[in-house]
Structure formats: C-alpha cells, structure tokens
Short mmCIF file of all heavy atoms in Angstrom, two decimals:
data_model
loop_
_atom_site.label_atom_id
_atom_site.label_comp_id
_atom_site.label_asym_id
_atom_site.label_seq_id
_atom_site.Cartn_x
_atom_site.Cartn_y
_atom_site.Cartn_z
N THR Y 1 52.94 34.76 51.90
CA THR Y 1 54.06 35.49 52.58
C THR Y 1 54.26 36.87 52.19
O THR Y 1 54.98 37.68 52.92
CB THR Y 1 55.38 34.60 52.34
OG1 THR Y 1 55.66 34.74 50.89
CG2 THR Y 1 55.34 33.31 52.79
N GLY Y 2 53.74 37.38 51.08
CA GLY Y 2 53.95 38.75 50.61
C GLY Y 2 53.28 39.84 51.42
O GLY Y 2 52.14 39.51 52.03
N GLN Y 3 53.69 40.98 51.31
CA GLN Y 3 53.05 42.12 52.02
C GLN Y 3 51.79 42.51 51.35
O GLN Y 3 51.69 42.69 50.16
CB GLN Y 3 54.04 43.30 52.02
CG GLN Y 3 55.26 43.15 53.06
CD GLN Y 3 54.77 42.94 54.53
OE1 GLN Y 3 53.95 43.64 54.98
NE2 GLN Y 3 55.34 41.89 55.14
N LYS Y 4 50.71 42.74 52.23
CA LYS Y 4 49.44 43.14 51.65
C LYS Y 4 48.96 44.51 52.12
O LYS Y 4 48.08 45.10 51.66
CB LYS Y 4 48.36 42.03 52.02
CG LYS Y 4 48.79 40.66 51.54
CD LYS Y 4 48.05 39.69 52.29
CE LYS Y 4 48.69 38.24 52.09
NZ LYS Y 4 49.91 38.05 52.68
N HIS Y 5 49.55 44.98 53.20
CA HIS Y 5 49.15 46.19 53.91
C HIS Y 5 47.70 46.05 54.31
O HIS Y 5 47.25 45.08 54.92
CB HIS Y 5 49.47 47.38 53.14
CG HIS Y 5 50.90 47.67 53.17
ND1 HIS Y 5 51.40 48.92 52.95
CD2 HIS Y 5 52.07 46.81 53.39
CE1 HIS Y 5 52.77 48.93 53.00
NE2 HIS Y 5 53.14 47.63 53.19
N GLY Y 6 46.88 47.15 53.99
CA GLY Y 6 45.41 47.03 54.45
C GLY Y 6 44.63 45.96 53.58
O GLY Y 6 44.72 45.93 52.36
N VAL Y 7 43.78 45.27 54.29
CA VAL Y 7 42.90 44.26 53.67
C VAL Y 7 41.60 44.55 54.28
O VAL Y 7 41.40 44.70 55.53
CB VAL Y 7 43.30 42.92 53.95
CG1 VAL Y 7 42.40 41.83 53.31
CG2 VAL Y 7 44.77 42.64 53.40
N HIS Y 8 40.57 44.64 53.41
CA HIS Y 8 39.11 44.76 53.90
C HIS Y 8 38.32 43.65 53.28
O HIS Y 8 38.42 43.28 52.05
CB HIS Y 8 38.50 46.04 53.46
CG HIS Y 8 37.18 46.33 53.98
ND1 HIS Y 8 36.97 46.82 55.34
CD2 HIS Y 8 35.89 46.14 53.55
CE1 HIS Y 8 35.74 46.86 55.65
NE2 HIS Y 8 35.08 46.50 54.54
N VAL Y 9 37.40 43.09 54.10
CA VAL Y 9 36.49 42.05 53.75
C VAL Y 9 35.08 42.50 54.06
O VAL Y 9 34.73 42.69 55.13
CB VAL Y 9 36.74 40.66 54.41
CG1 VAL Y 9 35.72 39.62 53.99
CG2 VAL Y 9 38.16 40.18 54.26
N ALA Y 10 34.22 42.74 52.88
CA ALA Y 10 32.91 43.16 53.09
C ALA Y 10 31.85 42.03 52.74
O ALA Y 10 32.02 41.50 51.69
CB ALA Y 10 32.75 44.42 52.17
N PHE Y 11 30.95 41.85 53.58
CA PHE Y 11 29.93 40.90 53.45
C PHE Y 11 28.66 41.58 52.95
O PHE Y 11 28.22 42.57 53.59
CB PHE Y 11 29.61 40.19 54.78
CG PHE Y 11 30.83 39.33 55.23
CD1 PHE Y 11 31.79 39.87 56.11
CD2 PHE Y 11 30.98 38.02 54.81
CE1 PHE Y 11 32.93 39.13 56.48
CE2 PHE Y 11 32.06 37.17 55.22
CZ PHE Y 11 32.93 37.76 56.06
N GLY Y 12 27.98 41.12 51.89
CA GLY Y 12 26.86 41.79 51.39
C GLY Y 12 25.67 41.22 51.93
O GLY Y 12 25.59 40.41 52.99
N GLN Y 13 24.47 41.68 51.36
CA GLN Y 13 23.16 41.14 51.83
C GLN Y 13 22.90 39.77 51.42
O GLN Y 13 23.10 39.49 50.09
CB GLN Y 13 22.08 42.15 51.45
CG GLN Y 13 22.22 43.55 52.07
CD GLN Y 13 21.54 43.71 53.35
OE1 GLN Y 13 20.95 42.67 53.86
NE2 GLN Y 13 21.49 44.86 53.90
N PRO Y 14 22.35 38.89 52.18
CA PRO Y 14 22.00 37.56 51.72
C PRO Y 14 20.85 37.62 50.70
O PRO Y 14 19.98 38.48 50.76
CB PRO Y 14 21.43 36.88 52.98
CG PRO Y 14 22.07 37.58 54.12
CD PRO Y 14 22.20 39.00 53.69
N PHE Y 15 21.00 36.72 49.60
CA PHE Y 15 19.96 36.72 48.68
C PHE Y 15 18.61 36.15 49.03
O PHE Y 15 18.63 35.19 49.97
CB PHE Y 15 20.43 35.86 47.40
CG PHE Y 15 21.38 36.61 46.54
CD1 PHE Y 15 22.22 37.49 47.04
CD2 PHE Y 15 21.42 36.24 45.23
CE1 PHE Y 15 23.06 38.22 46.12
CE2 PHE Y 15 22.25 36.91 44.36
CZ PHE Y 15 23.15 37.97 44.86
N GLY Y 16 17.53 36.63 48.67
CA GLY Y 16 16.17 36.20 48.93
C GLY Y 16 15.72 35.38 47.74
O GLY Y 16 16.54 35.00 46.85
N ALA Y 17 14.41 35.22 47.61
CA ALA Y 17 13.82 34.44 46.51
C ALA Y 17 13.41 35.29 45.30
O ALA Y 17 12.90 34.72 44.30
CB ALA Y 17 12.58 33.71 47.01
N ASP Y 18 13.63 36.60 45.43
CA ASP Y 18 13.32 37.54 44.31
C ASP Y 18 14.28 37.63 43.14
O ASP Y 18 14.64 38.61 42.68
CB ASP Y 18 13.18 38.98 44.88
CG ASP Y 18 14.42 39.45 45.49
OD1 ASP Y 18 15.24 38.61 46.07
OD2 ASP Y 18 14.46 40.71 45.64
N VAL Y 19 14.76 36.45 42.64
CA VAL Y 19 15.49 36.29 41.48
C VAL Y 19 14.98 35.31 40.51
O VAL Y 19 14.40 34.29 41.10
CB VAL Y 19 17.04 35.96 41.78
CG1 VAL Y 19 17.82 37.17 42.45
CG2 VAL Y 19 17.13 34.75 42.72
N ALA Y 20 15.03 35.58 39.34
CA ALA Y 20 14.21 34.69 38.43
C ALA Y 20 15.13 33.97 37.43
O ALA Y 20 14.69 32.99 36.69
CB ALA Y 20 13.25 35.43 37.56
N SER Y 21 16.47 34.32 37.34
CA SER Y 21 17.35 33.56 36.33
C SER Y 21 18.80 33.61 36.81
O SER Y 21 19.14 34.31 37.74
CB SER Y 21 17.20 34.37 34.95
OG SER Y 21 17.78 35.75 35.20
N VAL Y 22 19.57 32.82 36.20
CA VAL Y 22 20.99 32.67 36.40
C VAL Y 22 21.73 34.06 36.24
O VAL Y 22 22.43 34.56 37.00
CB VAL Y 22 21.59 31.59 35.45
CG1 VAL Y 22 23.07 31.77 35.48
CG2 VAL Y 22 21.21 30.24 35.92
N ASP Y 23 21.24 34.70 35.11
CA ASP Y 23 21.90 36.08 34.79
C ASP Y 23 21.56 37.10 35.89
O ASP Y 23 22.41 38.02 36.16
CB ASP Y 23 21.45 36.47 33.46
CG ASP Y 23 22.13 35.68 32.27
OD1 ASP Y 23 23.12 35.12 32.49
OD2 ASP Y 23 21.61 35.78 31.16
N GLU Y 24 20.39 37.01 36.42
CA GLU Y 24 20.01 38.00 37.41
C GLU Y 24 20.74 37.82 38.67
O GLU Y 24 21.32 38.78 39.32
CB GLU Y 24 18.43 37.85 37.71
CG GLU Y 24 18.04 38.99 38.67
CD GLU Y 24 16.54 38.96 38.97
OE1 GLU Y 24 15.85 38.25 38.28
OE2 GLU Y 24 16.07 39.76 39.83
N VAL Y 25 21.02 36.43 39.09
CA VAL Y 25 21.86 36.23 40.17
C VAL Y 25 23.32 36.75 40.01
O VAL Y 25 23.92 37.29 40.91
CB VAL Y 25 21.93 34.69 40.53
CG1 VAL Y 25 22.93 34.45 41.64
CG2 VAL Y 25 20.57 34.26 40.88
N ALA Y 26 23.73 36.40 38.75
CA ALA Y 26 25.19 36.90 38.42
C ALA Y 26 25.25 38.40 38.46
O ALA Y 26 26.19 38.98 39.09
CB ALA Y 26 25.53 36.44 37.15
N SER Y 27 24.28 39.15 37.93
CA SER Y 27 24.25 40.55 38.05
C SER Y 27 24.21 41.14 39.37
O SER Y 27 24.91 42.05 39.66
CB SER Y 27 23.11 41.06 37.17
OG SER Y 27 22.99 42.47 37.21
N ARG Y 28 23.51 40.59 40.25
CA ARG Y 28 23.30 41.02 41.63
C ARG Y 28 24.65 40.78 42.35
O ARG Y 28 24.98 41.63 43.19
CB ARG Y 28 22.13 40.40 42.27
CG ARG Y 28 20.78 40.94 41.84
CD ARG Y 28 19.69 40.61 42.87
NE ARG Y 28 18.41 40.93 42.45
CZ ARG Y 28 17.41 40.75 43.24
NH1 ARG Y 28 17.42 40.29 44.39
NH2 ARG Y 28 16.11 41.07 42.70
N LEU Y 29 25.24 39.69 42.06
CA LEU Y 29 26.58 39.38 42.75
C LEU Y 29 27.56 40.46 42.25
O LEU Y 29 28.24 41.06 43.12
CB LEU Y 29 27.00 38.05 42.34
CG LEU Y 29 26.43 36.89 43.09
CD1 LEU Y 29 26.76 35.59 42.41
CD2 LEU Y 29 27.07 36.85 44.52
N ASN Y 30 27.59 40.74 41.04
CA ASN Y 30 28.48 41.82 40.49
C ASN Y 30 28.21 43.15 41.09
O ASN Y 30 29.24 43.80 41.55
CB ASN Y 30 28.33 41.97 38.93
CG ASN Y 30 28.81 40.73 38.21
OD1 ASN Y 30 29.54 39.98 38.83
ND2 ASN Y 30 28.44 40.65 36.99
N GLN Y 31 26.99 43.56 41.31
CA GLN Y 31 26.66 44.77 41.87
C GLN Y 31 27.10 44.86 43.30
O GLN Y 31 27.64 45.89 43.79
CB GLN Y 31 25.12 45.00 41.79
CG GLN Y 31 24.62 45.25 40.34
CD GLN Y 31 23.13 45.21 40.21
OE1 GLN Y 31 22.45 45.09 41.16
NE2 GLN Y 31 22.63 45.24 38.93
N GLN Y 32 26.81 43.85 44.13
CA GLN Y 32 27.11 43.83 45.55
C GLN Y 32 28.62 43.85 45.75
O GLN Y 32 29.13 44.47 46.62
CB GLN Y 32 26.39 42.72 46.26
CG GLN Y 32 24.88 42.97 46.59
CD GLN Y 32 24.35 42.32 47.78
OE1 GLN Y 32 25.10 42.30 48.79
NE2 GLN Y 32 23.21 41.69 47.71
N ILE Y 33 29.30 43.05 44.91
CA ILE Y 33 30.68 42.90 45.21
C ILE Y 33 31.37 44.20 44.84
O ILE Y 33 32.27 44.69 45.50
CB ILE Y 33 31.28 41.70 44.33
CG1 ILE Y 33 30.81 40.37 44.95
CG2 ILE Y 33 32.80 41.81 44.18
CD1 ILE Y 33 31.16 39.19 44.05
N ALA Y 34 30.92 44.81 43.77
CA ALA Y 34 31.51 46.11 43.32
C ALA Y 34 31.14 47.22 44.44
O ALA Y 34 32.12 47.97 44.80
CB ALA Y 34 30.87 46.62 42.01
N SER Y 35 29.95 47.24 44.87
CA SER Y 35 29.65 48.21 45.84
C SER Y 35 30.23 48.13 47.23
O SER Y 35 30.55 48.98 47.99
CB SER Y 35 28.15 48.35 46.04
OG SER Y 35 27.64 47.16 46.59
N GLY Y 36 30.65 46.74 47.54
CA GLY Y 36 31.35 46.50 48.81
C GLY Y 36 32.77 46.64 48.76
O GLY Y 36 33.51 46.63 49.83
N TYR Y 37 33.36 46.76 47.54
CA TYR Y 37 34.84 46.85 47.40
C TYR Y 37 35.31 48.13 48.01
O TYR Y 37 34.99 49.25 47.61
CB TYR Y 37 35.16 46.72 45.95
CG TYR Y 37 36.62 46.50 45.75
CD1 TYR Y 37 37.09 45.13 45.54
CD2 TYR Y 37 37.51 47.44 45.63
CE1 TYR Y 37 38.45 44.81 45.28
CE2 TYR Y 37 38.83 47.23 45.44
CZ TYR Y 37 39.31 45.94 45.29
OH TYR Y 37 40.76 45.65 45.05
N VAL Y 38 36.42 48.10 48.90
CA VAL Y 38 36.95 49.20 49.51
C VAL Y 38 38.22 49.66 48.79
O VAL Y 38 39.16 48.80 48.64
CB VAL Y 38 37.23 48.97 51.00
CG1 VAL Y 38 38.18 49.93 51.58
CG2 VAL Y 38 35.99 48.80 51.75
N LEU Y 39 38.26 50.86 48.23
CA LEU Y 39 39.41 51.32 47.60
C LEU Y 39 40.58 51.72 48.51
O LEU Y 39 40.27 52.21 49.65
CB LEU Y 39 39.06 52.53 46.67
CG LEU Y 39 38.07 52.25 45.49
CD1 LEU Y 39 37.80 53.66 44.81
CD2 LEU Y 39 38.71 51.39 44.57
N HIS Y 40 41.76 51.47 48.17
CA HIS Y 40 42.94 51.85 48.96
C HIS Y 40 43.66 52.98 48.19
O HIS Y 40 43.56 53.19 47.07
CB HIS Y 40 43.87 50.64 49.21
CG HIS Y 40 43.23 49.51 49.92
ND1 HIS Y 40 43.04 49.40 51.29
CD2 HIS Y 40 42.59 48.30 49.50
CE1 HIS Y 40 42.51 48.40 51.64
NE2 HIS Y 40 42.20 47.64 50.58
N PRO Y 41 44.54 53.68 48.94
CA PRO Y 41 45.32 54.74 48.28
C PRO Y 41 46.06 54.22 47.00
O PRO Y 41 46.22 54.92 46.07
CB PRO Y 41 46.30 55.17 49.37
CG PRO Y 41 45.56 55.01 50.61
CD PRO Y 41 44.77 53.67 50.37
#
C-alpha cells in the first residue's frame, strides 16, 4: 500500500552453458543485477 513513485524492472541476458561453477553463476548474477539497476533521484 505504500508509495513507491518510480519503479523500474530490468531483465538481463539469459545464461548459456559457459559457466563452470556455483560461484561463477553467482558472480554473473551480481554483475547483471548491478548493471541493470536503475538509479533514482
């Protein structure tokens, strides 16, 4: 119910098979989520 003002939802690139470990998947998720995050005033 609270006010949110602007909201942005960014979808990243689907993962392929070029990952070799759990940590690599987590790292790529962090990178894409950070790069897709839209800053507000």
Side-chain angles (χ1 to χ4, degrees):
T1 61
Q3 290 298 312
K4 304 157 191 74
H5 285 204
V7 178
H8 187 82
V9 179
F11 296 89
Q13 294 274 2
F15 279 32
D18 58 335
V19 287
S21 68
V22 165
D23 287 341
E24 186 176 354
V25 174
S27 178
R28 288 200 187 183
L29 279 166
N30 292 342
Q31 292 167 7
Q32 284 209 43
I33 288 173
S35 64
Y37 194 93
V38 166
L39 296 176
H40 298 279

